[in-house]
Amino acid sequence: MAANPLGGGSFGEALARHGLQLTREETRVLQVNVGLACDLSCRHCHLEAGPQRVEMMDRDTMDAVIDCARRFRFQSIDLTGGAPELVPDLDRLVRSLAPLTNRLMVRTNLVALNSGEGSALCELYRELGVGLVASLPASNAAQTEAQRGEGVWGRSVEALKRLNSLGYGMPESPLRLDLVSNPSGAFLPPPQQQAEQKFRSDLSRRHGISFNSLYTFANVPLGRFRSFLERSGNLDGYLAQLTDGFNPCSVAGLMCRYQLSVDWRGRLYDCDFHLAQGVWYGGEETHISTLAELPAPGTTIPTADHCFACTVGAGFT
Amino acid sequence: METYYAPKDLGNFAEIGKDAPELAGKFFAYYNEVFAEGELTEREKALIALAVAHTVQCPYCIDAYTRACLEKGSHLGEMTEAVHVATAIRGGASLVHAVQMRKIAEKLSL
């Protein structure tokens, strides 16, 4: 793993300074990255997903994921991408996984829900009670489109309104619609509760849109976002913000302690950022079909410099 | 000294406490209390600070509160409107003194 370009000590050293170790707790979540194909090319994407990417999960790998979910009964299964909606047979994967977990959720860029296939998936999600986690960086067009591309704001609003009409994100409805906001630039996100209040007010007042919860996450300096940081002369300053903002209290709740992440080829990681960097679960390439048991609590999790993005402020949980 | 203002100097603000630590301590304690969430949110206070920063034309403050506004969830439209509020008051303060001008001119003129 590369040395910290800041010279301020690696993530492991930051943990050690606070007498901490990054170790696993009981594994409750399976995150499934079904591929990098996407109809958007967001400027903050750590995976550099986009229309030109062809990596997608095939049926055999889906079967291996389903088999794993049957063997281990995860509390939550989290499907992500790319845009999951673009992956052939996603509906089959969703139908198969839904009865195998307490909570199945699918990440969406919203725009992909506006296609014919996307509309059909919305109906399927509703039928199965699948939770939706939608990316929306801001409650205004300018910042949303700066991150996600021209025309995305209008299409996102359209999708959110349709989801509301299906019952998603509405008061008293069991169909959860959560939003995820990443900053539109080289700055840290606002405190989650304050941002949620503002999104709720703006989206309700201007567009009549409801949602359940908003999650704010710092951008991870990998992929396209790192390229932006380098081009714009913001890299050193942003990395310094991440390391200076290291919050030891955030370590206990980090998602990597509770989840396994699997890519479109069935290979395992501790999180989607390690996936982006090729940092294997267990230190070597492991296919999900060969996973004999879940990681034991106390197992050490490999760290890298990008981990600082998950421990800044309130942290990435 | 090549320039009076260098961006990295902002990070040295705390050094003003070296020769007057008690006063600096009281100032920074007050400063931090002012910007904490109260009847106004931290986001609203940052927007006010940004507008005032433009009125006092402090490059350090503009740098710091542009970032603070973004990090507290404001967007450029809101930030620009806040600066216009400062501009309106500042411009209005000039213009309203034209009342004095008119009054004096009236007294002096036939």
Side-chain angles (χ1 to χ4, degrees), chain A residues 230-259:
Chain A
E230 289 170 346
R231 274 198 319 276
S232 60
N234 282 305
L235 181 63
D236 289 348
Y238 188 74
L239 295 179
Q241 268 198 298
L242 296 184
T243 51
D244 292 348
F246 176 77
N247 174 11
C249 299
S250 68
V251 173
L254 291 178
M255 61 177 181
C256 56
R257 305 190 67 203
Y258 304 92
Q259 74 165 26

Side-chain angles (χ1 to χ4, degrees), chain A residues 140 143 188-190 198 241, chain B residues 37 43 67 71 75 78:
Chain A
N140 66 89
Q143 285 182 313
L188 299 178
K198 184 165 191 297
Q241 268 198 298
Chain B
E37 181 106 7
R43 189 182 79 86
R67 176 179 289 278
E71 290 186 346
H75 60 79
E78 294 167 317

Side-chain angles (χ1 to χ4, degrees), chain B residues 50-71:
Chain B
L50 181 72
V52 175
H54 282 76
T55 299
V56 298
Q57 293 174 322
C58 167
Y60 298 125
C61 310
I62 292 171
D63 183 348
Y65 283 96
T66 298
R67 176 179 289 278
C69 283
L70 290 169
E71 290 186 346

Side-chain angles (χ1 to χ4, degrees), chain A residues 90-99 104 124 127-128:
Chain A
L90 183 79
D91 52 346
R92 175 175 164 273
L93 180 66
V94 167
R95 278 192 189 282
S96 302
L97 291 177
L104 178 62
L124 177 66
E127 174 195 331
L128 298 173

